[in-house]
Amino acid sequence: MADKLLEIKDLNITYNTEITTVYAVNGMSLSLEYGETLGLVGETGAGKTTTCLSVMRLLPEGIGEVTNGSIILDGNDMLNLSEDKVRELRGNIVSMIFQDPMSSLNPVMTVGDQILEVLKEHNKDMSKADLDKAVDDMMELVGIPANRKNEYPHEFSGGMKQRIVIAIALVCEPKLILADEPTTALDVTIQAQMLGLINDLQKRLNTAMILVTHDLGVVAQTCEKVAVMYAGEVIEFGKAEHIFGAENLHPYTKGLFDAIPKLDEDTERLVTIDGMIPDPTQVIKGCRFAERCKFATDKCKVAPPVVEVEPGHLVKCHRYGK
Amino acid sequence: MNKKLLKMIGRRIVQSVIVIFIVTLIVFLLNQMVPGDPIVNFLGPNATEEQIEYYTQLFGYDQPVLVQYFKWIQGLFRGEMGRSVALQMEISDILFERLKVTLSMVFPAFILAVALGVTLGITAAKKRGSIFDSVISFFANIGMSMPMFWFGMILILIFALKLGILPTSGFTAFSEGAGEWASHIILPVIVLAMGPLAQFTRQTRSSMLEVIRQDYVMTARAKGISQKAITFKHQLRNAFIPIITVMGMSLGGMIGGTVLVESIFVVPGLGTLMISSIKSRDFMVVQNGVLVIAIAVALCNLIVDILYGVIDPRIRND
Ligand SMILES: Nc1ncnc2c1ncn2[C@@H]1O[C@H](COP(=O)(O)OP(=O)(O)OP(=O)(O)O)[C@@H](O)[C@H]1O
Ligand SMILES: [Mg+2]
């Protein structure tokens, strides 16, 4: 067993469309231990989904391209594996829950068959009876009566579909789940329920998870570690307690916290971070956040160093450099 | 299958019967409005008043229109279509003889169009933007817009007149030799298949492209299953819903639309029978012919609806 479950180093990803080149991920680095939960936060367009897709090696063919860096998953060099070997890992060692669970299920296949399909693919020598039993157990585990396995997705509510999607992701007991905003498409009341379920199962099966979300509250509740992404790179990484309530934060992370509406203050309007994320079609040499940062100085014209402000808490900013 | 599906099929059968009934009524009334008389036509200009009157009574054409209609329908329930004035034969005998000839062209043409169209469509969708894709799309567009008679004449010119490897026209039954049958049927089948082939190719391509973008295809990829399983179990099954619609309409259309092809290649099928019957004002043959075509089209639609229900569980509910 490798000592780290996932190690992403200096990852660069571009999308080459007919019109332009989008630099979606720029020098991304991240690591994850076995069984750990990491919250990946950042505003829209930061490259969160792109990063997850690259771990699955599912970037859109012919458009998305990894131009630099490495991804080591459970000892496998993901970027240099053959397609057949990658298929063995997908759904088995690593699985992904996509942004919209409503449309993630095939409408013309029973939910039982959709769970069975992935289990069968990765357990070719399992008997029919064992496969069926495992599917039943998994359904019960996510809270859907197993006698509904011959029904089709349209016969289930949104929250139940989500449970099926989770069952598909977990049935092979993968070592890592990539949950890409698994609850944004759901009702607020069901959101908490779902996160509880995912968290519970993940603990039970000792699965690590990267939880992509915009919601810092969710991260505080469910994640041991946090990575903040900005314009295609991780600008802050640490344990949840480092980031929640710490002083020495990256100015962007600080801005994110200030943007959370507080119930006890009667603020006139929502606090936002001024400006917008930089144009992803442009190459930026210095700090990508400098344009919007109130602490920006001349130093920020060169790329900032990664500084360990306290053990295990990394910040990519000139403010904390010597 | 399940109860919902059976109920749906039952409902569709009732609907088809109603539609066919309405079609018979409309055709009958239209025939009454067309000027000309089959008896006069058959007996020729030298016939006497008495002769005309005698035959008109014999065939029952002197009775009120509604009585004639109900007699026809009544006969149908006994399996009788009446006699043809012009041909002096039982209409059911002629019709089914001719229908066999028509179907022996339509089925091969349809199977050719489906097999080739779906294969080309899938390949074009997979290689979207490639030269292959452009070439296929180019020919599909030509195939859809080329007039049948012109295409048929070009084929006759090349294969029958220039190269002399195929007969220009006519038909030989399969029972009289497979080789002869095939050599006569090959050009009509190609002409008949061309339009549907182009249409199926385009529909398959666009449905597949539509489905490739769907989230559930991404879910399937993330499961680690093979590309073949993704294409057939996830993409094609979903893409087939609109493809089947087009196929059903085409098959119905092909049966009714062989008139042109049969005329070009002088094939004694249902289409040429209809033309000659209209010319001789033999309206009982015409309306029975239309009935047969209407049943065939309704049958195609029924099959499409059943396939819908089998493929798409959401349809079983409404
Ligand atoms: N298929 C694609 N073709 C071209 N550009 C793309 C494609 N997919 C994503 N991008 C671009 O890559 C960048 C990163 O996108 P990504 O989807 O990874 O962001 P994200 O962090 O997941 O955002 P969100 O929170 O909105 O989901 C964006 O600028 C986006 O426009
Ligand atoms: Mg995203």
Side-chain angles (χ1 to χ4, degrees):
Chain A
M1 192 152 96
D3 52 333
K4 288 248 167 56
L5 170 60
L6 177 67
E7 184 97 64
I8 301 177
K9 273 212 184 101
D10 294 326
L11 192 64
N12 283 10
I13 300 172
T14 57
Y15 287 108
N16 309 305
T17 67
E18 273 159 35
I19 317 153
T20 177
T21 298
V22 177
Y23 298 91
V25 171
N26 308 293
M28 164 102 187
S29 294
L30 191 68
S31 69
L32 195 69
E33 312 280 337
Y34 284 87
E36 197 173 58
T37 306
L38 173 112
L40 187 58
V41 296
E43 67 198 289
T44 183
K48 307 179 295 290
T49 301
T50 305
T51 305
C52 293
L53 288 177
S54 70
V55 174
M56 299 288 289
R57 263 246 318 249
L58 280 178
L59 288 170
E61 224 171 300
I63 301 170
E65 188 195 352
V66 175
T67 52
N68 186 42
S70 67
I71 300 174
I72 311 292
L73 172 68
D74 196 32
N76 298 291
D77 181 358
M78 290 305 279
L79 299 179
N80 293 312
L81 283 184
S82 70
E83 184 60 25
D84 281 346
K85 191 80 179 69
V86 170
R87 283 211 292 113
E88 276 173 34
L89 302 181
R90 272 185 212 143
N92 193 21
I93 300 296
V94 54
S95 51
M96 183 157 173
I97 300 175
F98 292 97
Q99 225 154 350
D100 184 4
M102 298 305 167
S103 53
S104 295
L105 294 173
N106 184 342
V108 301
M109 211 170 162
T110 65
V111 296
D113 280 349
Q114 298 193 48
I115 302 172
L116 178 66
E117 184 178 39
V118 62
L119 188 68
K120 207 161 138 190
E121 177 69 32
H122 299 294
N123 299 278
K124 293 229 165 72
D125 41 287
M126 233 163 129
S127 75
K128 176 96 180 61
D130 288 348
L131 285 169
D132 284 340
K133 173 141 192 342
V135 170
D136 290 358
D137 290 349
M138 195 64 220
M139 284 186 73
E140 298 285 347
L141 206 59
V142 296
I144 307 258
N147 62 16
R148 298 196 61 182
K149 71 174 173 184
N150 291 325
E151 292 180 24
Y152 291 89
H154 73 277
E155 294 168 281
F156 292 88
S157 71
M160 290 170 110
K161 273 186 218 165
Q162 170 77 325
R163 287 167 191 265
I164 305 286
V165 169
I166 294 170
I168 293 172
L170 287 177
V171 71
C172 291
E173 303 191 6
K175 293 180 179 168
L176 174 64
I177 315 170
L178 306 167
D180 189 0
E181 303 189 49
T183 59
T184 34
L186 295 172
D187 213 285
V188 195
T189 49
I190 305 171
Q191 283 186 12
Q193 219 180 34
M194 282 309 132
L195 284 172
L197 176 69
I198 296 178
N199 231 223
D200 184 39
L201 293 173
Q202 181 214 346
K203 292 271 146 53
R204 201 178 316 183
L205 306 170
N206 195 29
T207 300
M209 171 161 76
I210 293 180
L211 177 65
V212 174
T213 177
H214 291 272
D215 189 338
L216 284 169
V218 165
V219 174
Q221 275 168 33
T222 49
C223 300
E224 296 145 49
K225 290 218 176 129
V226 182
V228 181
M229 260 190 108
Y230 185 80
E233 59 176 342
V234 172
I235 47 97
E236 178 133 28
F237 177 85
K239 290 198 179 117
E241 62 257 36
H242 286 154
I243 302 213
F244 290 92
E247 279 309 307
N248 31 6
L249 290 175
H250 191 285
Y252 175 66
T253 314
K254 224 179 213 130
L256 282 183
F257 278 113
D258 292 340
I260 301 174
K262 292 174 190 66
L263 288 176
D264 50 342
E265 295 168 20
D266 45 12
T267 33
E268 289 286 301
R269 58 184 187 91
L270 290 177
V271 184
T272 54
I273 307 173
D274 289 337
M276 293 214 303
I277 54 164
D279 179 357
T281 61
Q282 302 300 317
V283 184
I284 296 166
K285 291 240 163 56
C287 173
R288 292 188 172 78
F289 185 61
E291 227 182 286
R292 299 166 77 180
C293 181
K294 44 187 177 202
F295 306 105
T297 62
D298 272 356
K299 271 204 285 192
C300 302
K301 290 202 178 84
V302 294
V306 176
V307 184
E308 191 160 21
V309 290
E310 57 193 304
H313 181 189
L314 307 174
V315 180
K316 194 167 185 176
C317 180
H318 283 294
R319 277 184 87 200
Y320 302 102
K322 276 141 248 160
Chain B
M1 278 292 145
N2 58 23
K3 256 192 267 159
K4 272 183 195 161
L5 190 57
L6 286 176
K7 250 175 84 183
M8 190 206 86
I9 293 171
R11 226 173 22 230
R12 293 284 195 272
I13 290 178
V14 173
Q15 282 171 2
S16 311
V17 170
I18 295 173
V19 168
I20 290 170
F21 180 76
I22 294 173
V23 168
T24 62
L25 197 61
I26 293 175
V27 174
F28 185 84
L29 294 177
L30 280 178
N31 266 330
Q32 296 294 326
M33 284 184 237
V34 176
D37 184 298
I39 309 280
V40 173
N41 229 303
F42 177 65
L43 294 176
N46 299 328
T48 62
E49 284 294 320
E50 288 79 46
Q51 280 177 310
I52 291 173
E53 204 169 314
Y54 173 76
Y55 280 107
T56 304
Q57 271 175 18
L58 187 70
F59 279 89
Y61 294 166
D62 56 336
Q63 286 168 340
V65 172
L66 272 184
V67 173
Q68 286 188 41
Y69 176 71
F70 282 113
K71 281 218 162 131
W72 174 42
I73 299 291
Q74 230 177 20
L76 289 179
F77 278 105
R78 289 195 308 267
E80 292 164 13
M81 290 178 158
R83 271 185 81 80
S84 158
V85 178
L87 301 169
Q88 292 295 312
M89 282 166 80
E90 283 301 317
I91 293 174
S92 50
D93 292 346
I94 327 166
L95 270 183
F96 287 107
E97 195 52 44
R98 298 299 194 96
L99 183 66
K100 266 197 296 192
V101 174
T102 295
L103 290 184
S104 74
M105 295 188 316
V106 168
F107 281 136
F110 182 70
I111 291 167
L112 177 74
V114 169
L116 206 56
V118 170
T119 314
L120 290 177
I122 292 177
T123 319
K126 274 198 179 151
K127 301 185 174 170
R128 176 171 43 163
S130 67
I131 293 174
F132 180 84
D133 181 25
S134 314
V135 171
I136 292 296
S137 296
F138 177 72
F139 279 108
N141 281 330
I142 288 186
M144 281 184 71
S145 44
M146 189 157 46
M148 251 193 199
F149 66 88
W150 183 79
F151 183 50
M153 259 139 46
I154 295 285
L155 288 185
I156 291 176
L157 201 70
I158 296 173
F159 290 99
L161 302 179
K162 270 250 158 67
L163 300 176
I165 46 177
L166 293 170
T168 48
S169 61
F171 180 80
T172 314
F174 186 77
S175 50
E176 288 165 38
E180 273 294 290
W181 171 76
S183 72
H184 278 99
I185 213 168
I186 191 160
L187 292 184
V189 163
I190 291 174
V191 173
L192 202 53
M194 179 196 56
L197 168 61
Q199 213 181 355
F200 298 169
T201 304
R202 277 170 47 131
Q203 184 64 53
T204 305
R205 178 182 179 274
S206 70
S207 301
M208 283 300 275
L209 286 179
E210 184 61 39
V211 158
I212 280 167
R213 278 196 293 269
Q214 297 294 319
D215 288 353
Y216 54 77
V217 173
M218 207 56 171
T219 307
R221 292 228 158 82
K223 287 175 173 180
I225 58 176
S226 68
Q227 184 55 48
K228 218 170 90 195
I230 293 171
T231 303
F232 287 96
K233 282 170 77 180
H234 295 275
Q235 295 175 340
L236 204 53
R237 267 196 79 180
N238 280 285
F240 243 89
I241 296 164
I243 296 174
I244 282 177
T245 314
V246 171
M247 285 179 179
M249 290 194 310
S250 283
L251 181 55
M254 279 163 97
I255 295 172
T258 48
V259 180
L260 212 56
V261 177
E262 288 175 14
S263 309
I264 300 169
F265 293 97
V266 201
V267 179
L270 204 54
T272 39
L273 174 69
M274 296 293 276
I275 291 181
S276 63
S277 300
I278 291 170
K279 277 189 190 148
S280 60
R281 301 287 181 271
D282 201 356
F283 58 79
M284 279 303 276
V285 175
V286 176
Q287 71 203 33
N288 280 300
V290 171
L291 174 69
V292 168
I293 292 171
I295 291 175
V297 171
L299 216 58
C300 294
N301 289 340
L302 188 69
I303 293 170
V304 167
D305 283 338
I306 292 172
L307 285 179
Y308 268 166
V310 171
I311 291 180
D312 191 347
R314 289 163 297 187
I315 287 171
R316 286 172 219 164
N317 283 345
D318 56 52

